[in-house]
Amino acid sequence: MLPELRTEIPGPRSRELAARLRRVESRNVTMLTAGWPVFWERAEGVNVWDADGNRFLDFTAGFGVAGLGHSATPVRDALTTQAGRLLHAMGDVHPAESKVELCEMLGELTFGRWGAGRGKTILGNSGSDAIEAALKTALLHSGKPGVLVFEGAYHGLGYGALEASALEFFREPFAAQLGRFAVSVPYPYCYRCPFGHGGGFALEGGEFPNCSSGCLEELQKRIRAEITRREIGAILVEPVQGRGGDIVPPRDFLRLLRQICDEEKILLIADEIYTGFNRTGRLFACEHSEVAPDIICLGKALTSGFPLSACVGRADVMDAWPESTGEALHTSTFLGNPLGCAMAVASLREHAKPETAAKVRAAGRHLLGVLQKISSPRIGHVRGVGLLVGLEMVREDGSPDPETAGRCVTSALREGILLLSGGRHGNVISLSPPFALAPEEADFLAGFLQKL
Ligand SMILES: Cc1ncc(COP(=O)(O)O)c(C=O)c1O
């Protein structure tokens, strides 16, 4: 359904709530400026209603969480049933049955499906938590503290995850408190090739760039040099870089990392917190390259709307953790919360259906197709895979244009379209809509962007 606006945006109720929030919430959490934000009241499918009764078309799926749609019926039903029985259990002491069921499903949908043995899971409460569980696992398994990461990486903002994230904006204010275990190398960002090749790349299969310029060889040299120089126990990578700018690397990138990890006997950790659960048209993005990581980190769409995450590893890797003798080394009060586990189990049943991935591929093809047809000097590059799509806004000289991206996001809100901007320069319009996005809804967005 296309947007339906009843008030100016934001309306009076949203403005009043913003004024109240300003008095009680710390600065630097919610951006409160003229024209921003609207307060969400309810949501269904691809639609969000705000506190003033305006209906928006959501191209964010609420940070990629609601791939199955806002308030997806099977997930809501599972939550309601679970809520009638048990809200909370003792996650690492006396857990609920739903934790068992979820860990079984996660192990089966990952390492089981990949023919890589059994998977074992550590649950967490946020994506950042899952990354930190993976970092700790890597140290226990390899005995080596170093972790190789990629420029532009976003792995969350807890101090372990932040040290592994390579976006200066988030790191700089806290640099004095960060550990020093991560080292970053360039991510294959074909539109702005870090090795200076740039331009002229072909699109193979419509989605993954086909790098023929040898950048992967240069990257390989850089990675091997770092591994020789430091005690690296793991490579942590987003198979498609999300908040760094929806950057789709060459298909061989992940295969190269797998090969290096095998040869150097280090762990490959895939951060699929954003890309996991069909966002890219496959259950997991690493499947596009037919690569199985040693550990996969999951969150966001795992539950379709509850703060719960998972670090799933091959059983022999996860068995680096000692048996618990009563005091778990890595846990938290809400670990394996029964509401979240029940929602995750219901979500995974939907995600495991082949028609879910097929729906994403079809909707993604249409969305990418209509966006690539837009002719605007302000849009330098449109890229994406499945329903993870980025539009890179540029100035006349081709340099990143965060101002236009920001203006686009705020003017879209006034047209009833929910967008986010991101990327390492803040100049990428980032799209991750619910999977039920209809062709006319994609066309509506394209019509708006065409007017820029
Ligand atoms: C790839 C990736 N990893 C980790 C995170 C952190 O997840 P959370 O915000 O739930 O801590 C995010 C969040 O956007 C992400 O996109």
Side-chain angles (χ1 to χ4, degrees):
M1 276 192 292
L2 300 184
E4 192 183 295
L5 305 180
R6 296 183 171 169
T7 65
E8 61 176 316
I9 306 294
R13 181 95 180 108
S14 278
R15 291 203 304 272
E16 184 214 321
L17 289 168
R20 280 169 55 194
L21 191 62
R22 178 180 286 288
R23 286 195 288 272
V24 291
E25 188 180 47
S26 168
R27 287 163 53 158
N28 204 264
V29 181
T30 311
M31 186 175 88
L32 300 166
T33 56
W36 195 270
V38 292
F39 284 73
W40 289 22
E41 191 166 275
R42 76 188 167 94
E44 208 177 297
V46 189
N47 298 288
V48 173
W49 284 260
D50 76 358
D52 292 284
N54 301 299
R55 176 158 48 74
F56 295 84
L57 192 48
D58 180 15
F59 280 88
T60 73
F63 306 124
V65 168
L68 298 174
H70 288 288
S71 304
T73 309
V75 183
R76 202 171 40 191
D77 289 350
L79 171 67
T80 316
T81 307
Q82 183 61 48
R85 286 189 194 139
L86 182 72
L87 298 181
H88 174 69
M90 297 178 74
D92 64 316
V93 178
H94 299 301
E97 181 175 339
S98 52
K99 183 173 95 164
V100 182
E101 202 180 345
L102 175 57
C103 292
E104 283 171 351
M105 283 179 90
L106 283 170
E108 188 42 46
L109 283 176
T110 54
F111 295 90
R113 269 177 63 254
W114 300 330
R118 219 151 26 90
K120 285 192 176 180
T121 293
I122 298 175
L123 295 176
N125 306 320
S126 67
S128 178
D129 265 4
I131 295 294
E132 296 186 353
L135 294 172
K136 287 182 178 176
T137 306
L139 178 58
L140 291 180
H141 184 264
S142 69
K144 296 181 196 160
V147 180
L148 190 127
V149 299
F150 292 88
E151 289 166 12
Y154 184 87
H155 298 294
L157 301 183
Y159 269 150
L162 181 58
E163 165 60 7
S165 296
L167 285 167
E168 263 325 284
F169 172 81
F170 297 106
R171 294 173 57 92
E172 195 273 331
F174 309 105
Q177 284 185 341
L178 289 180
R180 290 282 179 267
F181 58 80
V183 54
S184 62
V185 295
Y187 192 84
Y189 181 1
C190 301
Y191 182 63
R192 298 185 186 279
C193 178
F195 299 103
H197 296 298
F201 57 84
L203 285 177
E204 178 204 323
E207 289 164 339
F208 286 84
N210 176 19
C211 176
S212 53
S213 62
C215 98
L216 290 184
E217 273 144 51
E218 292 185 48
L219 182 59
Q220 166 156 219
K221 281 191 210 133
R222 291 283 295 273
I223 295 175
R224 292 210 191 256
E226 293 299 347
I227 292 173
T228 314
R229 208 173 297 147
R230 298 161 203 261
E231 283 197 303
I232 304 282
I235 296 180
L236 170 61
V237 64
E238 295 163 84
V240 175
Q241 209 172 63
R243 292 198 64 187
D246 304 299
I247 300 169
V248 187
R251 203 182 292 268
D252 283 342
F253 170 54
L254 221 52
R255 295 177 185 148
L256 170 68
L257 299 186
R258 180 70 276 174
Q259 187 192 338
I260 294 173
C261 285
D262 288 344
E263 287 171 14
E264 304 285 348
K265 308 239 173 320
I266 59 182
L267 295 180
L268 180 61
I269 306 172
D271 178 349
E272 295 236 23
I273 288 163
Y274 202 0
T275 53
F277 303 115
N278 292 310
R279 172 56 53 200
T280 67
R282 294 284 189 101
L283 190 52
F284 302 107
C286 60
E287 295 174 3
H288 289 282
S289 313
E290 289 141 9
V291 163
D294 301 299
I295 296 178
I296 184 166
C297 294
L298 302 166
K300 291 189 184 280
L302 167 60
T303 58
S304 311
F306 193 93
L308 189 138
S309 64
C311 160
V312 189
R314 246 191 12 250
D316 62 294
V317 171
M318 298 308 284
D319 284 346
W321 289 87
E323 282 289 346
S324 172
T325 51
E327 193 70 86
L329 286 169
H330 183 84
T331 185
S332 66
T333 303
F334 291 104
L335 182 146
N337 174 275
L339 299 175
C341 288
M343 288 172 73
V345 166
S347 301
L348 294 188
R349 284 198 187 111
E350 297 305 306
H351 281 296
K353 295 177 183 164
E355 57 266 34
T356 306
K359 191 198 277 185
V360 175
R361 288 195 291 271
R365 260 194 308 275
H366 182 83
L367 179 63
L368 203 57
V370 293
L371 296 178
Q372 281 174 337
K373 280 198 201 106
I374 299 174
S375 112
S376 161
R378 292 169 185 276
I379 301 176
H381 192 214
V382 180
R383 54 179 171 254
V385 51
L387 281 171
L388 185 57
V389 172
L391 296 103
E392 181 143 352
M393 312 310 275
V394 294
R395 301 196 181 96
E396 263 174 37
D397 62 0
S399 62
D401 187 353
E403 292 79 21
T404 294
R407 261 199 314 276
C408 173
V409 171
T410 39
S411 55
L413 189 70
R414 292 197 293 274
E415 304 274 329
I417 299 170
L418 294 168
L419 293 181
L420 282 175
S421 60
R424 47 187 93 173
H425 307 291
N427 68 317
V428 177
I429 306 291
S430 189
L431 309 175
S432 57
F435 304 162
L437 184 78
E440 59 274 20
E441 294 165 338
D443 298 350
F444 183 73
L445 174 71
F448 163 77
L449 292 169
Q450 180 68 68
K451 288 185 269 170
L452 281 179

